Amino acid sequence: MEKKKLFKQILAILGVVSFVVLADVFIFFVFTNRCINYSSSQMQAKSVEVDQYLPFAKDTKIVKKEYSEKLSGDLPKIDGAAALVPVFNSFVYSIYPESSVKYENGDFTKDSALQYHNTRGAFKGIVDGECDIAFCAKPSDEQVQYGLDKGVELELTPIGREAFVFIVNKNNPVDGLTMAQLKDIYSGKITNWKDVGGANRPINVVQRNKGSGSQTTLEKLFGKDIKSNFFGPLGGSLGFSFRFYVEELTEHGHIKMLKLNDVYPNKENVQNESYPIVSNFFAVTRKGETNPNVQKVLDFVLSPTGQEIIDKTGYVSL
Amino acid sequence: MNDKLFKRILIIIGVVGVISILTLLIITIVLYRQTSMITFIEKELW
């Protein structure tokens, strides 16, 4: 009788242990593992609908500016950040021959003059010689060092300006922050929205992948030692991006851009420089580049037509 | 094994189990938030 009872008790304990282990394995493989896959740079790159901005597609969303001189000969390969796809695809439309862009099965072919590997891939491409001009935000120290390690010095040509913005959910009652408050949030001194006039909820300091254009900009502003609140995931998120990238989403989606020092990041406030964080974006090339067409592309980008494309696309020209 | 000891063992295993499941869920949420910032901010419940 006693043995039978002991057997049942051991069975019950093993049952509970098995349930817990199976539940953990189930959550990991069905949810956690999926999130790890989402974090790959490829997945992030694919989240941008590049096919809507193909230069020569009939229903493309790019700004079309005709230009008399098309490039010929050794065409520089172009790549860049997700947020700048509409801009550099428009440049390609103006000065590249249509036959130079090859897009098949949702990706550019290797011999296409236009490529898209996002900021990290574009910088790597410049250094490794797989692309010739990258349109991006300022490179991170690691990216510059990667080039120097391989004997490649990068040349940065400013081509336009853009506001670096902070975003929250539309229902977050906070509409603006000051630079001092942001500094305290990213250094971990402020961890709750109520401390900046919001609801009593933890601040979820969200960050992007290292090496992405916006993450590099954030680190240049607030340092690399950005503190995340442990309870943040249970609260409200504070994100960041470039204005152009999220502007449409603020109109049709469920996020909003925050005022900074009481100035809203619209185009006018970027132009008159009243918005506090305005940074250049660049055409990045290899120093000592010998292909004359690289300089021709840069000349076009800085010409009135190139700058008009930047303006009409929604960014701010120099 | 007396009933008191049996109950204690079950409670300990249960608590440890729940903690491990919650920890895994939190890690999942953190990973998800870091990887698709805008989507997750949009989906946030207020």
Side-chain angles (χ1 to χ4, degrees):
Chain A
M1 191 67 189
E2 199 58 35
K3 271 189 180 177
K4 206 175 174 184
K5 192 184 169 192
L6 182 65
F7 179 71
K8 276 185 180 175
Q9 286 173 333
I10 291 171
L11 214 61
I13 291 167
L14 284 175
V16 174
V17 170
S18 305
F19 173 78
V20 168
V21 170
L22 282 174
D24 277 340
V25 169
F26 175 80
I27 292 168
F28 179 79
F29 282 104
V30 176
F31 299 110
T32 318
N33 198 32
R34 233 195 248 170
C35 288
I36 293 167
N37 287 339
Y38 280 142
S39 72
S40 70
S41 58
Q42 290 89 342
M43 280 304 293
Q44 291 227 337
K46 296 297 175 200
S47 69
V48 178
E49 293 175 33
V50 180
D51 53 356
Q52 292 184 5
Y53 294 96
L54 291 174
F56 302 103
K58 274 184 186 170
D59 51 352
T60 182
K61 286 183 173 179
I62 62 159
V63 172
K64 288 183 175 180
K65 289 294 290 181
E66 301 299 336
Y67 198 66
S68 52
E69 270 185 61
K70 294 272 182 191
L71 295 176
S72 60
D74 186 6
L75 299 174
K77 279 198 175 180
I78 283 184
D79 205 332
L84 290 169
V85 163
V87 177
F88 63 81
N89 281 19
S90 189
F91 295 154
V92 168
Y93 173 82
S94 296
I95 54 171
Y96 276 67
E98 188 171 347
S99 58
S100 64
V101 177
K102 291 164 192 164
Y103 188 78
E104 289 171 9
N105 303 322
D107 211 349
F108 293 102
T109 60
K110 277 196 170 179
D111 60 337
S112 172
L114 179 60
Q115 297 286 325
Y116 171 60
H117 296 100
N118 220 332
T119 301
R120 290 197 304 179
F123 276 120
K124 194 172 177 301
I126 286 280
V127 173
D128 296 344
E130 286 161 11
C131 91
D132 303 299
I133 307 172
F135 292 95
C136 301
K138 205 170 191 178
S140 66
D141 295 342
E142 289 79 11
Q143 283 157 343
V144 172
Q145 192 56 48
Y146 178 72
L148 292 175
D149 289 346
K150 294 211 166 188
V152 176
E153 209 173 327
L154 302 175
E155 193 155 294
L156 276 65
T157 308
I159 61 164
R161 287 178 299 167
E162 185 51 304
F164 189 69
V165 300
F166 296 87
I167 51 173
V168 294
N169 186 283
K170 235 170 199 170
N171 295 322
N172 187 330
V174 172
D175 288 322
L177 293 168
T178 64
M179 282 299 284
Q181 284 171 331
L182 277 175
K183 202 176 168 190
D184 286 347
I185 289 170
Y186 284 112
S187 65
K189 282 182 193 165
I190 294 178
T191 56
N192 195 303
W193 284 108
K194 73 174 163 49
D195 297 328
V196 289
N200 184 13
R201 289 184 65 165
I203 299 174
N204 185 29
V205 175
V206 190
Q207 294 190 65
R208 288 198 64 207
N209 290 342
K210 290 266 174 206
S212 74
S214 51
Q215 181 68 28
T216 301
T217 306
L218 185 84
E219 288 175 1
K220 283 187 192 294
L221 286 165
F222 300 106
K224 287 186 178 176
D225 188 25
I226 289 165
K227 299 272 192 299
S228 293
N229 180 1
F230 180 77
F231 295 105
L234 303 171
S237 301
L238 173 66
F240 53 85
S241 188
F242 288 100
R243 181 193 62 91
F244 173 82
Y245 202 54
V246 291
E247 195 175 42
E248 205 174 313
L249 292 165
T250 61
E251 286 165 17
H252 305 110
H254 297 281
I255 57 168
K256 64 180 176 185
M257 295 188 282
L258 295 177
K259 287 181 195 170
L260 208 48
N261 292 352
D262 222 21
V263 181
Y264 189 73
N266 54 26
K267 196 170 179 179
E268 191 188 349
N269 289 334
V270 178
Q271 247 155 356
N272 64 28
E273 294 187 5
S274 56
Y275 184 76
I277 310 177
V278 176
S279 53
N280 286 335
F281 52 95
F282 303 88
V284 184
T285 52
R286 289 179 291 271
K287 212 165 196 173
E289 177 63 59
T290 51
N291 183 349
N293 276 335
V294 169
Q295 191 54 49
K296 281 185 186 173
V297 173
L298 297 182
D299 290 344
F300 169 76
V301 170
L302 296 172
S303 72
T305 310
Q307 291 294 296
E308 194 183 337
I309 286 174
I310 287 172
D311 263 329
K312 285 197 169 172
T313 304
Y315 284 95
V316 180
S317 57
L318 290 172
Chain B
M1 196 186 310
N2 65 39
D3 286 349
K4 209 175 171 184
L5 179 63
F6 172 64
K7 274 184 186 172
R8 273 188 186 173
I9 291 172
L10 271 190
I11 287 168
I12 289 168
I13 293 171
V15 168
V16 169
V18 169
I19 288 171
S20 75
I21 290 168
L22 286 177
T23 305
L24 198 55
L25 282 173
I26 288 169
I27 290 169
T28 306
I29 289 167
V30 170
L31 280 173
Y32 183 62
R33 286 189 169 195
Q34 284 178 342
T35 53
S36 48
M37 181 192 288
I38 292 171
T39 310
F40 210 83
I41 293 174
E42 279 194 314
K43 287 178 180 173
E44 208 164 71
L45 294 172
W46 275 83

